[in-house]
Amino acid sequence: WQTAVLVIVVWSAYGNSLGGSFQYDDFHSIVRNPALRDLGNVPAFFHQPSMFSADIGKGMYRPVLLTTLALNHALHGYDVVGYHVVNVMLHLASVLLLWQLARRCATSSAALAAALLFATHPLTAEPVNYISSRSELLLGVFFLGSMWAHIKAFASDAENRGFRVLAAGLCILALLSKATAVMLLPTLLLVDRMMLGWRPQSLVDLLRRHGVYWALGGVYVGAIAMNGFLSGSLAAPVRSAGVQALTQIKAWAYYVRLVVVPRPLSVDHVFSEATSVGAAVVFGAALILSLLWLCGRHWRRLPAPVLGLLMGGLVLLPTTLMPLNVLINERRLYLVVAALCMSLASLARLRRGAVVAATLALLLLTAERNGAWATQTTLWESAQRSGSQSYRTWVNLGKAYHEAGQVEATKKAYERALQLDDRHGDVYNNLAVLLHQSGRVGEAVPWYEMALSRYPDMDEIYQNLADAHVQLENFAQAASVYEAALALDDNNGAVWNNLGEVHMQRHDYVGAEAAFRRAAQLLPDNHEPGNNLGNALDAQGARRRSEAVEAYRGALRLAPDAAARGAIYANLGETLRRSRDFSGAAAVLDSSMRLVATAVACDYRGRVAYDTGDMAAAEAFWQRAVALDATRGSAWSGLGDLRLAAGDLAGAEQALRQAVGSGGGTRAWLSLARCLEARAAIPAARDAYEQLIRLGQAGDPRVTAAQQRLLELAQAQ
């Protein structure tokens, strides 16, 4: 019945957490992480820390965590409920294991009380609600599970080999979940001494009982040294050792206060670095020394409470010594709370009514805290209400408002973040994106440039700035931005591909060809560079069209779906038409339209029909093209030419005006000018010829024809 009570209480506390959204680090480590979308990557998780995140520089070695996330994705994609269900189940497993451990050193009712306290304590809300913090839950399950199995293995005179193997296996899983698991090794020594009363008779006796755990720890440290995770973690510490020590001494006192009075809770606590010995540092040092003195004095008389205190301290030790970006957070206390609950179970004599009242009160506080994790907006608004006025809170609140479409609130939050700290590039980039998406592209450009001045190595900012220049038709500036990005990383295939597209806009087809060839080398499994290479070769004229055909056929072999193959078939068909292979062009374009009907394919098919003299089919294909996309200027131009040839001048003018308004180019302007001449609208025809000349390139025969016709009209006048 106690098991049933714990199951009911855990689900009552966290039932309202299942609809919570992905939160800040979830996006780079889960949502945008392509490694999680293929279970075939699971073996690589165990030797490539870079697969932890979609962002370069955020790699971590937590292969068991990644495996569970990949399984979640394989089962239900990005449906967040499934991820939360796993987190709640992991918390339930930790609660049940703590209950079993507490039963070793306390009465049944006291052990249940300890498990209920751990199950409902509000400090467990962050690791349960925050999906990326599942590593804490996995660590909790495997850490407590290894302790339990070790006790089962050696609790009786006859050693149980099955539980020894289980304890070692859970130790491995703990290490592969989070590096803090190295503290399991000294903890198991304390368990043996304080819970089982074991004392090693010799070094051989010690190695026989604990050697396997320390060997596993050594293998783990060697593995993270070889895969670069250890050196990456130790490189360029975020603060000096002295400041780290003073700050974390102060943090221990803050953590004790949070455990005892878990209000207010926040994803960004109001807590600052300690650069000198102040009152808070002195108090923290006195607290730590007092606890150590108590443990040293009473460990024989009160072994279980002392074990809990020492275990909590050991779990906090790695983050105390290792300088991390975030000074403190609640999820670091998950196992600490479990250890302190175990200590409490062996000390307290609690009345049943008090236990029930405390459980209900904590359950309500936890359920309330789950509400703060419901959305990105509620999470960071909660942090702001709790007193946090940090740059981190305001920039993340701005991102949350941005996602929610609250433009003015987003702008105010980002501006507040800049007032607090203007050294970071992300807020400048975010403000630029806000302006960009609001249609204020020109205003976004200087913000992107300020972002780049602070974060000159961030690919995303280069991409955003170049996109803005392309929209403003500043193709030369866009090209220079991409070239600057490539100066930092010459092996970025996506940037080479984008640079090639900009060269196409500038009619630099040779430059585009070179960029697309480089992109194809760097992205050998991607069809886009090959398709774009075909376009660049085709644009260079008849002498390169056979190469264009080969490029398109190569892209077809890589195309992942019908839509991609349809687009490539359309381009291939147009190239074959220009090569006068009308039957081949018609067959390929028909294949494109069978795969997916697009305005582009219908337009190109209309051109084939027109070239072969089938005017009725040409009109039908072009009508279908403009029905699919009313802005398809070249299809409108074809319809205008048909009506002009048929003597329908009014219909021709209407279609051709649609064509020039939709980017029909010099062909549309030339046809419109001739139509207007036929209608005796000479001033309007002259304007159309002049517009054609402004749009056209030197050497374009249509530009030459327009110039000649303007001269003839002037002579006639």
Side-chain angles (χ1 to χ4, degrees):
W1 68 268
Q2 291 189 0
T3 303
V5 166
L6 292 173
V7 171
I8 292 169
V9 166
V10 167
W11 280 104
S12 297
Y14 286 104
N16 68 329
S17 73
L18 301 184
S21 67
F22 289 113
Q23 298 292 353
Y24 49 115
D25 282 347
D26 290 340
F27 291 96
H28 73 81
S29 61
I30 301 174
V31 178
R32 293 189 287 106
N33 189 352
L36 300 182
R37 299 169 197 162
D38 184 358
L39 288 177
N41 290 326
V42 169
F45 296 160
F46 290 82
H47 60 86
Q48 293 185 25
S50 61
M51 301 188 84
F52 179 81
S53 172
D55 293 349
I56 297 172
K58 293 184 178 178
M60 302 191 82
Y61 187 63
R62 296 177 181 174
V64 170
L65 169 65
L66 290 182
T67 300
T68 67
L69 294 172
L71 288 169
N72 267 124
H73 183 273
L75 290 172
H76 48 74
Y78 294 110
D79 182 354
V80 77
V81 174
Y83 295 87
H84 283 301
V85 167
V86 172
N87 276 23
V88 176
M89 293 299 291
L90 288 169
H91 179 52
L92 174 59
S94 292
V95 169
L96 293 173
L97 285 164
L98 175 75
W99 171 54
Q100 289 295 314
L101 288 169
R103 285 161 62 94
R104 296 284 312 176
C105 56
T107 65
S108 177
S109 58
L112 178 62
L116 288 170
L117 176 60
F118 178 47
T120 57
H121 198 290
L123 283 177
T124 63
E126 180 165 317
V128 176
N129 281 276
Y130 181 26
I131 298 167
S132 287
S133 191
R134 182 181 293 178
S135 55
E136 298 288 350
L137 301 173
L138 291 165
L139 175 65
V141 172
F142 300 135
F143 196 110
L144 296 173
S146 188
M147 288 174 62
W148 172 80
H150 182 83
I151 292 169
K152 295 288 283 186
F154 295 105
S156 61
D157 292 336
E159 178 184 318
N160 189 315
R161 292 186 179 277
F163 279 110
R164 280 208 68 177
V165 172
L166 178 60
L170 291 171
C171 175
I172 294 170
L173 292 172
L175 290 166
L176 296 177
S177 297
K178 193 172 184 184
T180 309
V182 295
M183 292 297 105
L184 176 61
L185 312 183
T187 300
L188 289 175
L189 283 171
L190 294 174
V191 166
D192 258 344
R193 186 72 187 96
M194 297 182 179
M195 290 188 77
L196 300 180
W198 174 79
R199 182 180 298 173
Q201 302 302 311
S202 64
L203 178 59
V204 173
D205 191 27
L206 177 65
L207 291 175
R208 183 189 65 81
R209 193 144 167 160
H210 286 272
V212 64
Y213 304 123
W214 291 87
L216 291 173
V219 170
Y220 171 77
V221 172
I224 63 175
M226 289 178 62
N227 64 31
F229 175 61
L230 183 61
S231 58
S233 301
L234 296 175
V238 294
R239 65 189 66 85
S240 69
V243 171
Q244 173 69 9
L246 294 175
T247 301
Q248 290 304 314
I249 288 171
K250 182 175 75 166
W252 278 52
Y254 191 88
Y255 283 146
V256 169
R257 200 275 298 166
L258 276 182
V259 171
V260 177
V261 184
R263 300 279 286 187
L265 297 181
S266 173
V267 73
D268 190 20
H269 284 270
V270 181
F271 188 87
S272 59
E273 287 185 348
T275 56
S276 61
V277 179
V281 175
V282 171
F283 179 76
L287 175 65
I288 294 170
L289 292 173
S290 299
L291 290 173
L292 289 173
W293 179 81
L294 285 170
C295 290
R297 184 174 179 82
H298 298 291
W299 72 270
R300 293 179 186 275
R301 189 168 62 88
L302 299 170
V306 169
L307 172 62
L309 287 174
L310 291 176
M311 174 181 159
L314 286 171
V315 168
L316 275 181
L317 190 58
T319 54
T320 299
L321 299 176
M322 177 72 73
L324 301 174
N325 286 316
V326 179
L327 297 175
I328 62 169
N329 59 46
E330 295 163 19
R331 57 186 177 273
R332 292 176 192 167
L333 297 179
Y334 184 73
L335 261 179
V336 176
V337 172
L340 295 179
C341 287
M342 189 169 66
S343 289
L344 185 64
S346 60
L347 278 176
R349 296 176 180 239
L350 302 174
R351 295 181 180 276
R352 183 174 298 177
V355 171
V356 171
T359 300
L360 287 174
L362 292 173
L363 190 153
L364 292 173
L365 288 173
T366 298
E368 178 192 23
R369 183 61 186 155
N370 296 339
W373 285 86
T375 68
Q376 296 177 76
T377 302
T378 56
L379 179 65
W380 293 102
E381 284 181 341
S382 170
Q384 193 264 332
R385 285 195 303 271
S386 73
S388 176
Q389 294 294 319
S390 70
Y391 171 87
R392 179 170 176 251
T393 289
W394 282 106
V395 76
N396 280 291
L397 189 56
K399 292 176 184 177
Y401 285 143
H402 197 167
E403 288 286 328
Q406 301 178 40
V407 176
E408 286 306 313
T410 303
K411 192 168 181 291
K412 289 178 181 177
Y414 286 150
E415 288 171 347
R416 177 60 179 148
L418 281 177
Q419 290 172 3
L420 293 167
D421 189 347
D422 64 355
R423 295 171 300 169
H424 303 281
D426 53 348
V427 71
Y428 289 98
N429 182 59
N430 294 344
L431 263 172
V433 170
L434 180 69
L435 294 167
H436 197 156
Q437 292 177 345
S438 301
R440 297 154 66 180
V441 184
E443 295 176 57
V445 168
W447 288 101
Y448 283 134
E449 290 171 344
M450 284 188 282
L452 269 182
S453 69
R454 288 157 175 81
Y455 286 172
D457 297 334
M458 187 175 284
D459 291 346
E460 177 188 348
I461 303 174
Y462 285 101
Q463 182 65 62
N464 292 340
L465 176 57
D467 286 346
H469 281 309
V470 168
Q471 283 185 253
L472 295 169
E473 298 186 357
N474 298 331
F475 299 120
Q477 290 92 325
S480 67
V481 171
Y482 283 131
E483 287 163 357
L486 290 170
L488 294 172
D489 181 9
D490 187 60
N491 294 317
N492 192 321
V495 174
W496 277 109
N497 191 63
N498 293 340
L499 177 60
E501 291 176 346
V502 170
H503 283 319
M504 290 292 289
Q505 293 285 352
R506 300 178 69 190
H507 305 285
D508 177 9
Y509 304 124
V510 174
E513 177 191 347
F516 290 138
R517 287 193 187 279
R518 179 67 172 144
Q521 290 175 351
L522 296 169
L523 303 171
D525 298 324
N526 193 318
H527 69 285
E528 289 187 18
N531 184 41
N532 291 336
L533 176 60
N535 295 339
L537 292 166
D538 177 78
Q540 292 179 50
R543 63 187 179 84
R544 306 299 301 277
R545 285 191 183 130
S546 61
E547 296 175 69
V549 169
E550 288 306 310
Y552 290 134
R553 296 198 186 281
L556 279 171
R557 289 190 288 272
L558 300 174
D561 52 40
R565 288 193 297 276
I568 299 168
Y569 273 131
N571 291 335
L572 174 58
E574 175 64 0
T575 296
L576 292 173
R577 181 194 71 83
R578 291 179 182 176
S579 301
R580 314 299 290 174
D581 181 2
F582 299 123
S583 60
V588 167
L589 290 166
D590 288 342
S591 296
S592 175
M593 290 186 291
R594 280 194 297 271
L595 287 168
V596 54
T598 64
V600 174
C602 293
D603 180 16
Y604 291 166
R605 187 66 179 84
R607 297 182 195 180
V608 173
Y610 184 87
D611 288 344
T612 55
D614 190 349
M615 302 306 169
E619 179 160 1
F621 283 121
W622 281 330
Q623 288 285 6
R624 189 179 178 192
V626 297
L628 290 167
D629 180 4
T631 65
R632 185 69 188 173
S634 56
W636 281 113
S637 183
L639 289 170
D641 286 341
L642 287 175
R643 291 167 187 171
L644 186 60
D648 179 7
L649 300 181
E653 182 180 351
Q654 182 182 13
L656 291 166
R657 288 200 180 278
Q658 284 272 14
V660 298
S662 302
T666 57
R667 174 189 174 193
W669 280 107
L670 183 61
S671 296
L672 177 60
R674 288 172 175 170
C675 177
L676 292 168
E677 271 201 79
R679 302 197 74 185
I682 303 303
R686 187 182 293 111
D687 290 342
Y689 284 128
E690 289 172 350
Q691 182 65 23
L692 185 160
I693 293 167
R694 282 193 293 271
L695 291 174
Q697 300 292 314
D700 185 339
R702 294 192 183 106
V703 171
T704 304
Q707 291 169 334
Q708 179 63 33
R709 190 59 189 147
L710 278 174
L711 180 61
E712 291 170 356
L713 288 173
Q715 290 172 344
Q717 187 180 19

